[in-house]
Amino acid sequence: MVKAIVGANWGDEGKGKVTDLLAEHSDVVIRFQGGANAGHTIINNYGRFALHILPSGIFYSHITNIIGNGVALDIVKLVTELQSIIDQGVPAPNLIISERAQILMPYHVLQDAYEEERLGGKAFGSTKSGIAPFYSDKYAKTGIQVCDLYDEARLRERLERAVDVKNILFEHLYHKPKLDVEQLYQQLLEYRELIRPYVGDAVGFVHQAIREGKTILMEGQLGSMKDPDLGIFPMTTSSHTLAGFGCVGAAVPPTAVEDVICVTKAYSSSVGSASEPFVSELTGQAGDELRRRGGDKGEFGATTGRPRRVGWFDAVATRYGCMVQGATQVALTCLDVLGYLDEIPVCVGYEIDGVVTDRFPTTPSLMRAKPVFHTLPGWKCDVRGITDYDALPAQAKAYVEFLEQQIGVPITIVSTGPERHENCMRTR
Ligand code: GDP
């Protein structure tokens, strides 16, 4: 049985926490897209962790964690992260790196930075982790797969071919130093040894696990709004953030995915640049207060430390975000954060050119959308750590149920704090 845990919004919805919770009763956790450009915050018995590339099942010794073929594999970041969790007392995890995953190369990171520099004020606000150049190369078929590391003649040939193109770009478009193939080749041979114990046939492993009836979690990075096809293009990422892509990036058959758990926060947050549309944004002092109180340590990016933009819950975006994910259930996180408010607006419509709609539009219309709010009473008390849904104040339950009705998908997990067991489980 395969479950996907994915984001309904702009990322940072709390997927790491939900994956860590559900992993307790799972056998396999797979990352299927993205790279080390976003982080999952997990707080458990071992401490507080910001995972960037490792799957969120690594804290359990009964779990096999997989870096799927859809991931942008930054080997140095992976090895550093692995070492840092081991240093913090976590037992060495079971990890399989798909031999079909492609390697995020040092020149992808350089190209990302050069391109942002070239774009100047028109930059996309990239995290400069090399993600866009990585996926561009994958689809241009100049990427290097992990399996190539173990065939030296092939590796050298593939590297030379890739570097030829990069050097034209670096020299003539960006006016930067050319790359040295030999140095890169030697670096790849070092990388090869670093990951050798983990490299394996993830595709075969996953299919065998499905045949054996194992419980498999596919863990998404970012959220629906960042999908290059169905998100807010071009303020998107470069890999598909939708559960459906798990069938490619984790090599899971579509018919095996039984459950899609969409994670959304009880308010909105987005780490994107100021030019991105964010209809329900809250600015000024009220925004600063929500940002300070949000998440477990304020709303600041787990990878970049950037202050996140914050806003009220956006039912239009979230309904759409859950729809395109194919959500079967919703996990609502950070309910505890809102306990200080007298009243809580929820964005239930967009006004575009004088017409109100509840349909999530394409980017040009979204840029002109203004929020239409429906305001609910706050509960004015601390609900942190409550695990019995019925023990929540009536206003908090009314808020959850209003969101549920707006989204149109059952909210089955209400998270009341950043720690693993701070949740109210609701039956469907
Ligand atoms: P992810 O990328 O979707 O895993 O999300 P992040 O880890 O980047 O951001 C979610 C933030 O919210 C982290 O700081 C979590 O510790 C925190 N968090 C998750 N669930 C809750 C919750 O129910 N309450 C509070 N206060 N914080 C939460």
Short mmCIF file of all heavy atoms in Angstrom, two decimals, residues 12-17 39-41 43 48 265 295-296 302 308 333-337 415-418, ligand 1:
data_model
loop_
_atom_site.label_atom_id
_atom_site.label_comp_id
_atom_site.label_asym_id
_atom_site.label_seq_id
_atom_site.Cartn_x
_atom_site.Cartn_y
_atom_site.Cartn_z
N ASP A 12 6.65 24.06 2.79
CA ASP A 12 6.75 24.38 4.22
C ASP A 12 5.43 24.17 4.96
O ASP A 12 5.16 24.83 5.96
CB ASP A 12 7.21 25.84 4.46
CG ASP A 12 8.44 26.19 3.69
OD1 ASP A 12 9.34 25.34 3.62
OD2 ASP A 12 8.52 27.31 3.15
N GLU A 13 4.61 23.26 4.48
CA GLU A 13 3.31 23.05 5.12
C GLU A 13 3.43 22.20 6.38
O GLU A 13 2.49 22.13 7.16
CB GLU A 13 2.35 22.34 4.14
CG GLU A 13 2.01 23.12 2.88
CD GLU A 13 2.95 22.78 1.72
OE1 GLU A 13 4.01 22.16 1.97
OE2 GLU A 13 2.63 23.15 0.58
N GLY A 14 4.57 21.55 6.56
CA GLY A 14 4.75 20.65 7.70
C GLY A 14 4.78 19.19 7.27
O GLY A 14 4.47 18.29 8.06
N LYS A 15 5.17 18.96 6.02
CA LYS A 15 5.19 17.57 5.49
C LYS A 15 6.17 16.70 6.26
O LYS A 15 5.90 15.52 6.49
CB LYS A 15 5.59 17.57 4.00
CG LYS A 15 4.60 18.28 3.12
CD LYS A 15 5.09 18.36 1.69
CE LYS A 15 6.34 19.20 1.54
NZ LYS A 15 6.17 20.63 1.79
N GLY A 16 7.30 17.29 6.68
CA GLY A 16 8.31 16.52 7.41
C GLY A 16 7.73 15.95 8.68
O GLY A 16 7.87 14.76 8.99
N LYS A 17 7.02 16.78 9.41
CA LYS A 17 6.43 16.32 10.66
C LYS A 17 5.41 15.21 10.40
O LYS A 17 5.40 14.19 11.10
CB LYS A 17 5.73 17.48 11.39
CG LYS A 17 4.99 16.94 12.57
CD LYS A 17 4.07 17.80 13.29
CE LYS A 17 3.11 16.86 14.02
NZ LYS A 17 2.42 17.44 15.13
N GLY A 39 13.64 22.42 2.97
CA GLY A 39 13.93 21.60 4.15
C GLY A 39 12.69 21.14 4.84
O GLY A 39 11.63 21.77 4.76
N HIS A 40 12.79 20.01 5.49
CA HIS A 40 11.71 19.52 6.34
C HIS A 40 12.20 19.61 7.77
O HIS A 40 13.26 19.10 8.09
CB HIS A 40 11.42 18.05 6.07
CG HIS A 40 10.91 17.77 4.70
ND1 HIS A 40 9.82 18.39 4.18
CD2 HIS A 40 11.34 16.92 3.76
CE1 HIS A 40 9.59 17.93 2.97
NE2 HIS A 40 10.51 17.04 2.68
N THR A 41 11.40 20.23 8.62
CA THR A 41 11.79 20.32 10.03
C THR A 41 11.16 19.16 10.79
O THR A 41 9.96 18.94 10.69
CB THR A 41 11.30 21.65 10.63
OG1 THR A 41 11.66 22.69 9.72
CG2 THR A 41 11.91 21.90 11.99
N ILE A 43 11.07 17.30 14.67
CA ILE A 43 11.46 17.37 16.07
C ILE A 43 11.05 16.06 16.72
O ILE A 43 9.87 15.69 16.67
CB ILE A 43 10.76 18.57 16.76
CG1 ILE A 43 11.14 19.88 16.03
CG2 ILE A 43 11.15 18.66 18.23
CD1 ILE A 43 10.29 21.07 16.38
N ARG A 48 16.14 18.40 17.17
CA ARG A 48 15.48 19.15 16.09
C ARG A 48 16.35 19.06 14.85
O ARG A 48 17.55 19.34 14.92
CB ARG A 48 15.32 20.62 16.51
CG ARG A 48 14.62 21.49 15.49
CD ARG A 48 14.60 22.95 15.95
NE ARG A 48 13.66 23.74 15.17
CZ ARG A 48 13.95 24.30 14.00
NH1 ARG A 48 15.14 24.14 13.47
NH2 ARG A 48 13.04 25.01 13.36
N LYS A 265 -1.17 24.28 6.03
CA LYS A 265 -1.12 24.96 7.33
C LYS A 265 -2.45 25.66 7.61
O LYS A 265 -3.17 26.00 6.67
CB LYS A 265 -0.04 26.04 7.29
CG LYS A 265 1.30 25.59 7.78
CD LYS A 265 2.26 26.75 7.77
CE LYS A 265 3.65 26.27 8.10
NZ LYS A 265 4.68 27.06 7.45
N GLY A 295 5.11 28.33 12.84
CA GLY A 295 6.00 27.16 12.85
C GLY A 295 6.49 26.85 14.26
O GLY A 295 5.81 27.15 15.24
N ASP A 296 7.67 26.27 14.37
CA ASP A 296 8.20 25.99 15.70
C ASP A 296 9.18 27.07 16.16
O ASP A 296 9.44 27.20 17.33
CB ASP A 296 8.83 24.60 15.78
CG ASP A 296 10.22 24.57 15.17
OD1 ASP A 296 10.35 24.98 14.01
OD2 ASP A 296 11.16 24.14 15.85
N ALA A 302 13.75 26.69 6.22
CA ALA A 302 14.59 25.67 6.86
C ALA A 302 15.94 25.54 6.16
O ALA A 302 16.93 25.18 6.77
CB ALA A 302 13.87 24.33 6.89
N ARG A 308 9.80 33.96 5.75
CA ARG A 308 8.73 33.55 4.84
C ARG A 308 7.65 34.62 4.83
O ARG A 308 7.37 35.22 5.87
CB ARG A 308 8.11 32.24 5.31
CG ARG A 308 9.06 31.07 5.16
CD ARG A 308 8.44 29.79 5.73
NE ARG A 308 9.40 28.70 5.66
CZ ARG A 308 9.43 27.68 6.52
NH1 ARG A 308 8.55 27.59 7.48
NH2 ARG A 308 10.33 26.73 6.37
N THR A 333 -1.84 21.59 9.69
CA THR A 333 -0.80 21.80 10.71
C THR A 333 -0.89 23.21 11.30
O THR A 333 -1.56 24.09 10.75
CB THR A 333 0.61 21.60 10.12
OG1 THR A 333 0.84 22.59 9.12
CG2 THR A 333 0.79 20.22 9.51
N CYS A 334 -0.20 23.38 12.41
CA CYS A 334 0.00 24.71 13.02
C CYS A 334 -1.28 25.37 13.52
O CYS A 334 -1.35 26.60 13.58
CB CYS A 334 0.72 25.65 12.06
SG CYS A 334 2.39 25.11 11.66
N LEU A 335 -2.28 24.56 13.87
CA LEU A 335 -3.51 25.17 14.42
C LEU A 335 -3.18 25.96 15.68
O LEU A 335 -3.74 27.02 15.95
CB LEU A 335 -4.54 24.08 14.73
CG LEU A 335 -5.91 24.63 15.16
CD1 LEU A 335 -6.64 25.26 13.97
CD2 LEU A 335 -6.78 23.55 15.79
N ASP A 336 -2.23 25.45 16.47
CA ASP A 336 -1.86 26.09 17.74
C ASP A 336 -1.36 27.53 17.56
O ASP A 336 -1.47 28.34 18.47
CB ASP A 336 -0.79 25.25 18.44
CG ASP A 336 0.40 24.98 17.54
OD1 ASP A 336 0.19 24.33 16.49
OD2 ASP A 336 1.51 25.41 17.85
N VAL A 337 -0.80 27.81 16.37
CA VAL A 337 -0.20 29.13 16.15
C VAL A 337 -1.25 30.24 16.22
O VAL A 337 -0.95 31.37 16.61
CB VAL A 337 0.52 29.15 14.77
CG1 VAL A 337 0.93 30.55 14.37
CG2 VAL A 337 1.72 28.21 14.78
N SER A 415 -2.78 19.04 13.43
CA SER A 415 -1.53 19.11 14.18
C SER A 415 -1.56 20.32 15.11
O SER A 415 -1.87 21.44 14.68
CB SER A 415 -0.37 19.18 13.17
OG SER A 415 0.82 19.46 13.83
N THR A 416 -1.25 20.07 16.37
CA THR A 416 -1.36 21.13 17.38
C THR A 416 0.00 21.50 17.97
O THR A 416 0.08 22.10 19.04
CB THR A 416 -2.31 20.69 18.52
OG1 THR A 416 -1.81 19.42 19.02
CG2 THR A 416 -3.74 20.51 18.04
N GLY A 417 1.05 21.10 17.29
CA GLY A 417 2.40 21.45 17.76
C GLY A 417 3.42 20.78 16.87
O GLY A 417 3.09 19.85 16.12
N PRO A 418 4.67 21.26 16.91
CA PRO A 418 5.68 20.72 15.99
C PRO A 418 6.16 19.31 16.33
O PRO A 418 6.76 18.65 15.50
CB PRO A 418 6.82 21.73 16.10
CG PRO A 418 6.60 22.48 17.36
CD PRO A 418 5.14 22.41 17.69
P1 GDP B 1 7.90 20.97 5.23
O1 GDP B 1 8.97 21.36 4.27
O2 GDP B 1 6.56 20.87 4.60
O3 GDP B 1 8.27 19.73 6.01
O4 GDP B 1 7.77 22.15 6.31
P2 GDP B 1 8.89 22.89 7.15
O5 GDP B 1 9.52 21.97 8.07
O6 GDP B 1 9.76 23.69 6.23
O7 GDP B 1 8.01 23.98 7.91
C1 GDP B 1 7.02 23.65 8.80
C2 GDP B 1 7.31 24.34 10.12
O8 GDP B 1 6.19 24.20 10.97
C3 GDP B 1 8.46 23.73 10.90
O9 GDP B 1 9.08 24.73 11.65
C4 GDP B 1 7.77 22.71 11.80
O10 GDP B 1 8.50 22.40 12.97
C5 GDP B 1 6.53 23.47 12.15
N1 GDP B 1 5.34 22.71 12.48
C6 GDP B 1 4.82 21.61 11.85
N2 GDP B 1 3.63 21.31 12.40
C7 GDP B 1 3.41 22.22 13.38
C8 GDP B 1 2.33 22.47 14.28
O11 GDP B 1 1.32 21.79 14.29
N3 GDP B 1 2.48 23.54 15.13
C9 GDP B 1 3.55 24.35 15.13
N4 GDP B 1 3.60 25.36 15.99
N5 GDP B 1 4.57 24.15 14.28
C10 GDP B 1 4.49 23.12 13.43
#
